[in-house]
Amino acid sequence: MTLPVGAGTDRRIDEILTRFPRRGSALLPALHAIQEEKGFISEEAMVYVAGKVGVSPSFVEGVVSFYTMFQRRPVGRHHIQLCRTLPCALRGCGRILEHFERRLGIREGGKTPDGKFSLVTVECLGTCDTAPMVQINDREYGPLDEAKVDAILASLE
Amino acid sequence: MPFEPLLTRNIAKPASETLEVYLASGGYQGLRRVLKEFTPESFLEEVKTSGLRGRGGAGFPTGVKWGFLPKTRDKPRYLCVNADESEPGTFKDRLLIEKDPHLVLEGIILSAYAIECHTAFFYIRGEFHAGARLFQRAIDEAYARGFLGGNILGSGFDLDLIVYRGAGAYICGEETALLESLEGKRGLPRIKPPFPAVVGLYGCPTIINNVETLANVTLIAERGAAWFAGIGRPRNTGPKLFCVSGHVKRPGVYEEALGVPLPQLLERAGGMLHPDRPLKAVVPGGSSMKILPAANCDVVMDFDSLAAAGSSLGSAGVIVMDSGTCIVWALLNLARFYAHESCGQCTPCREGTGWFVKILERLESGRGMASDPALLVDVAGRVEGNTICPFGEAIAWPVQSYVKAFRGEFEEHVTRRGCPLMAVAAR
Ligand SMILES: Cc1cc2nc3c(=O)[nH]c(=O)nc-3n(C[C@H](O)[C@H](O)[C@H](O)COP(=O)(O)O)c2cc1C
Ligand code: SF4
Ligand code: FES
């Protein structure tokens, strides 16, 4: 049987399983490990991780759907997460969203046909001092204006 | 006289996150002193005497909370550090985690010693990628130098510390939701009692403390409870990190003694962003707290003073709004946040947040009814006090206070069939 994850991730999850007083706690770190490798969490991966941790696949599905960071489908190579919450809104994140949409030719929630970019809005990222701000994959950028957005997009491979 | 930085004393130094820089500034001397001169009980007393109150939102006295642990020792005890920092307008814990992780780490070790715990967890919100990396590095450095692990500094005290990453859910900052999440489940708050101090992680006695709270414990270990209690105001002691965001020239984290006047804090943040737009309102304690209209902003920033002024210090997320801000639009923005983040367990919270969005959307788009302002307050009253966790209040309070302080503006949205300020607010 082939694993839905690479051998490295499988070994990593085995190590994670030894880390906690109770096995169940390994679920979130295991899901993070899978998503780091695959970019999202497939049905097969959920069944696999359920077996590893010792819970049911439907339990895993409940957990995956509860947390917004876990993706059920592949996102763009550059996943653009624009903060929409009040402190960023006071500094004009609405305008920045429109600019992203225009530049990428997609709407909020969409993905470019080449799979390079996906665009979503997210809630406060705890970085309101650089509002309006965006997190692209695991990096933050801000404060943003239109010119900065253009420069960031141009810099991403 | 500017306040001498205590919590932020290292952050401007190059490589401030490294153990070398921390040690060079006298780091881990407090831990050495406490392990030599204090028993766990006497250090717990010291923290009580300092008057330190929790910096996570509720302002509960830290030493008193620790004292709620059962005296029996038939189960392990756990310490969970709350680094979930997701309250809109709050970004202080992140600064400590990224710029001075050892200040926090020393406080964790000290607090674990006081409560006699040997396994601690650092629950950090999933979006803080750099923070989780930097904190793990600090932990590795601490193990290598004998500040963590077995027989810490030869004292006989053992402590392991494990980083646990959340995955995007505001509610996991609520302490019992945090425990559920740490057990690998959905973050659904638990019914209290039992309180976590008695039945917490894995059913064992557990203390949950905020990052900044624990950083303050380091200061108490270094310079003593009496010194700490001399900072700030009676019952509101110690230094405090304030996060100023919104319409100011220099948004950022500012350290002051508890009790700093709000106008002085806004001055430090550079004053108002646009010279032609005066202050309209401030939310002093993160998005869940009641709004203060400009006329009520002559307050000092501590737990008791803000409670007396009809709001709360909360997470000290100070959100500043100028005269160009539409209050209905601002509340709608927050209502959407709370509707998205409700865990859905309690009907009043799940349904109420949806109602708020619906009513505010129609007001903002010019389809509001004359009865809508009263309806908002009515629904908020049905949410408040009727939910499992304080998230219900976290949306009921903004709704009640925004309508109360700016009733005329809500009514104007009805009579003028839309938002008079929309164009300005969008900027
Ligand atoms: C909805 C909700 C969200 C919360 N989010 C956080 C948070 O992100 N960080 C935090 O430290 N406390 C948060 N709290 C408060 C915690 O439940 C808890 O009171 C706090 O971590 C205790 O630490 P302290 O005594 O050191 O303040 C939240 C509470 C609620 C009701
Ligand atoms: S008040 Fe809201 S967030 Fe809290 S438990 Fe109930 S439904 Fe969940
Ligand atoms: S509101 Fe955008 S980072 Fe806080």
Side-chain angles (χ1 to χ4, degrees), chain A residues 88-141:
Chain A
C88 277
L90 291 168
R91 300 299 292 246
C93 71
R95 227 182 47 209
I96 300 298
L97 175 61
E98 283 170 18
H99 191 69
F100 268 117
E101 290 181 329
R102 213 166 6 199
R103 282 295 316 269
L104 298 172
I106 54 174
R107 303 305 300 266
E108 199 259 301
K111 189 160 89 168
T112 55
D114 60 0
K116 185 169 173 188
F117 296 106
S118 47
L119 175 66
V120 294
T121 55
V122 295
E123 300 296 351
C124 179
L125 287 167
T127 320
C128 330
D129 46 347
T130 63
M133 62 79 60
V134 67
Q135 187 173 67
I136 304 181
N137 295 346
D138 57 6
R139 241 194 94 181
E140 283 98 16
Y141 304 84

Side-chain angles (χ1 to χ4, degrees), chain B residues 171 189 342-346 349 387-389 391-392:
Chain B
I171 194 58
S342 167
C343 85
Q345 273 192 111
C346 320
C349 173
T387 58
I388 291 175
C389 90
F391 183 104

